[in-house]
Amino acid sequence: MVSVIEETREQQDKRMAWWREAKFGMFIHWGLYALPAGMWKGECVSGIGEWIQQRARIPIKEYEQLAKEFNPVRFKAKEWVQVAKEAGVKCMLLTVKQHDGFCQWDTKLTDHNFVKATPFKRDPLKELAEACREEGIRLGIYYSQFLDWHHPNGMGNNWDYDPAKQDFTRYLREYVEPQLRELLTNYGSIAVIWFDIATPTPELAVELKQLVRELQPGTIINGRIGGWRTGGRRAFTMGDYTEMGDNEISEQRIEGDWETPATINDTWGYKSYDHNWKSAGNLVQKLVTIVSRGGNYLLNVGPTAEGIVPEPSIRSLKGVGRWLKVNGESIYGAIASPIAISPAAPYQCTAKGGKFYIHIFAWPWDGKFKVSRMSKEVKRAYLLADPNHGELEFSQEGEDVVISVPGQAPDPIDTVVVLEINE
Ligand code: H79
């Protein structure tokens, strides 16, 4: 058994405090793959955009050529941070090295990086770090510690390299660890480090964890650093919280800290022909459902090779932000639903300080909305969006609460009814 770093509950609670309040974060997948944007040699390549090198088996030498054309002249860190602010997220995470191994910061360990290999020559991580600091958004980084299709000892590239000859331990010690040193030393406070898939052995995962703790003890490490199962699914992670599968939303409430990383269309890295954008309403309902089950939502955008966030993403994110401006009290710092909710119910519930927030997704046609399994006594009911908190009539019988609501949904996305309860 490997030694796991010991910490008190208080130390862990302290590290996680802001994250538990935040509930909503923005992921940014941005790299060379934004240039082909899902097309290779005139053909559409199926699958998620950032996997194009693997999907089309593009030789490293050919893929590297993309860097020469990667010139995101419209990139403005402040604008991205503005998008994040308007969406109402509390942190943003940039892919500083995705599976293709291209590095988005000024690293000394490879020339396959933004500053050395592109005509742009700038360090987007540095610029984002500054913009985030100015605007009070926390900055996190995504770092692919397992798959690296560019490095001879990184995993996953069997079209350029012979997997039998690869030495992952060397890759980790001679490449990943020094890169993490750069990232966690030169860019100020890093709120989250987001590893993907898993580190292949618990011993190596502990080694990585120890390094992160040594460099920035406050940095939150996501679940995909790895771990092992002691029975049930995801029984143990070495990270600070559990990571769900990509786009996976649990059907039930889950104890402990967890997160759903999710796409805003059907790809992480930009694809020119993926127009399947989720609407603001869809995103709000996903956010609420996740919070109602105890999790955080990490929602991705995939900027273009020019360096802009696609307009449809901005439109939907702004819609979420507008909803949060009115209803944020029911999300930020809220805990999972204290009442059991059937997966088929037309509502969700979040809670905070003596208030249950009933999120109504589908409005009743008869002016009566029923909440079941309410074991606490309700004292008052009102619409969260109503600045006067005008009381709504309700009746409580057994575990059923029936609330009298307006004929039309005040907010077609999600109208929140506050139930003040007797604790
Ligand atoms: O960054 C985004 C995706 O590119 C990345 N995660 C999000 C956040 C991602 N997509 N798919 N995967 C991670 C997981 C794929 C894993 C596997 Fe495999 C592919 C498991 C089995 C085949 C590669 C080969 C890893 C293990 C074997």
Side-chain angles (χ1 to χ4, degrees):
M1 200 67 165
V2 286
S3 68
V4 179
I5 301 147
E6 293 290 343
E7 257 188 347
T8 62
R9 180 87 211 175
E10 287 72 37
Q11 284 171 306
Q12 175 68 359
D13 285 347
K14 197 163 160 249
R15 178 180 301 110
M16 295 303 289
W18 75 265
W19 191 92
R20 289 174 184 156
E21 289 270 319
K23 291 290 160 193
F24 189 28
M26 190 166 111
F27 219 173
I28 304 174
H29 275 66
W30 194 46
L32 294 185
Y33 40 78
L35 203 55
M39 303 279 293
W40 196 251
K41 304 206 160 136
E43 302 279 340
C44 289
V45 180
S46 67
I48 42 187
E50 70 285 0
W51 276 68
I52 193 166
Q53 188 189 359
Q54 191 261 12
R55 285 299 196 133
R57 314 253 146 200
I58 304 170
I60 290 169
K61 285 280 160 274
E62 227 176 296
Y63 193 82
E64 278 177 343
Q65 297 306 310
L66 291 171
K68 293 189 177 150
E69 291 164 54
F70 200 80
N71 194 13
V73 289
R74 296 176 72 187
F75 169 69
K76 287 203 180 75
K78 281 190 178 179
E79 284 182 10
W80 289 14
V81 175
Q82 202 50 39
V83 172
K85 284 203 86 151
E86 285 183 38
V89 301
K90 301 295 180 187
C91 63
M92 62 195 269
L93 277 82
L94 176 72
T95 49
V96 297
K97 180 170 80 82
Q98 230 271 336
H99 308 328
D100 64 3
F102 184 71
C103 298
Q104 318 274 103
W105 79 100
D106 189 9
T107 175
K108 302 224 163 5
L109 283 116
T110 177
D111 287 346
H112 194 44
N113 79 55
F114 228 109
V115 180
K116 296 248 169 52
T118 74
F120 195 57
K121 294 191 169 61
R122 278 156 52 186
D123 180 340
L125 183 61
K126 188 128 251 163
E127 295 181 23
L128 272 176
E130 276 161 22
C132 280
R133 237 188 326 271
E134 277 167 23
E135 292 295 329
I137 297 274
R138 287 169 202 265
L139 176 73
I141 53 177
Y142 167 111
Y143 184 97
S144 174
Q145 86 285 23
F146 175 58
L147 294 186
D148 186 327
W149 303 322
H150 188 264
H151 194 284
N153 285 319
M155 296 291 109
N157 182 341
N158 59 7
W159 57 99
D160 284 287
Y161 300 122
D162 175 0
K165 296 198 181 122
Q166 291 185 297
D167 183 343
F168 184 80
T169 304
R170 272 193 68 182
Y171 170 70
L172 195 97
R173 297 205 171 128
E174 294 173 11
Y175 192 72
V176 172
E177 292 182 2
Q179 285 206 319
L180 292 181
R181 258 179 210 286
E182 291 180 341
L183 289 163
L184 293 168
T185 308
N186 301 338
Y187 295 90
S189 165
I190 299 294
V192 178
I193 182 152
W194 214 97
F195 295 114
D196 208 352
I197 305 181
T199 314
T201 70
E203 288 79 6
L204 292 175
V206 165
E207 199 171 307
L208 274 192
K209 181 170 180 175
Q210 233 134 13
L211 179 69
V212 174
R213 290 287 194 255
E214 177 202 314
L215 294 167
Q216 285 203 29
T219 300
I220 292 172
I221 302 171
N222 84 323
R224 294 192 195 165
I225 189 171
W228 57 91
R229 294 173 186 177
T230 52
R233 198 158 176 235
R234 297 192 189 89
F236 185 86
T237 169
M238 224 153 344
D240 290 309
Y241 65 88
T242 298
E243 200 72 61
M244 293 293 125
D246 294 351
N247 285 306
E248 180 190 7
I249 298 178
S250 160
E251 287 273 298
Q252 284 128 31
R253 175 181 167 171
I254 299 175
E255 295 302 320
D257 300 311
W258 61 272
E259 172 183 87
T260 293
T263 51
I264 197 163
N265 46 2
D266 295 318
T267 181
W268 305 84
Y270 180 66
K271 277 178 90 171
S272 57
Y273 51 93
D274 182 341
H275 307 306
N276 197 20
W277 308 103
K278 292 171 188 72
S279 65
N282 185 323
L283 298 174
V284 165
Q285 294 192 2
K286 285 192 165 70
L287 171 65
V288 167
T289 303
I290 288 166
V291 176
S292 172
R293 292 169 188 169
N296 278 26
Y297 191 28
L298 181 61
L299 177 60
N300 182 70
V301 297
T304 68
E306 279 196 299
I308 59 162
V309 179
E311 178 55 30
S313 302
I314 295 181
R315 206 177 314 138
S316 294
L317 288 171
K318 278 188 177 168
V320 177
R322 274 194 300 275
W323 182 88
L324 277 168
K325 262 210 154 46
V326 177
N327 299 288
E329 177 193 318
S330 68
I331 297 295
Y332 302 121
I335 58 165
S337 177
I339 56 175
I341 299 173
S342 148
Y347 61 93
Q348 294 292 339
C349 172
T350 58
K352 186 160 70 182
K355 292 175 183 167
F356 287 12
Y357 302 96
I358 306 297
H359 298 260
I360 303 179
F361 293 167
W363 203 250
W365 56 273
D366 60 355
K368 304 274 176 218
F369 193 81
K370 186 168 95 175
V371 176
S372 309
R373 314 282 297 270
M374 174 62 79
S375 51
K376 307 269 187 184
E377 186 201 343
V378 176
K379 291 191 297 189
R380 249 161 61 80
Y382 59 87
L383 297 171
L384 183 56
D386 173 3
N388 303 317
H389 292 184
E391 294 205 20
L392 298 175
E393 283 182 22
F394 66 92
S395 63
Q396 186 164 19
E397 220 167 283
E399 291 200 327
D400 287 345
V401 178
V402 177
I403 309 157
S404 301
V405 294
Q408 298 287 318
D411 187 330
I413 290 178
D414 170 12
T415 300
V416 182
V417 173
V418 182
L419 300 180
E420 287 186 0
I421 49 122
N422 233 341
E423 283 184 291

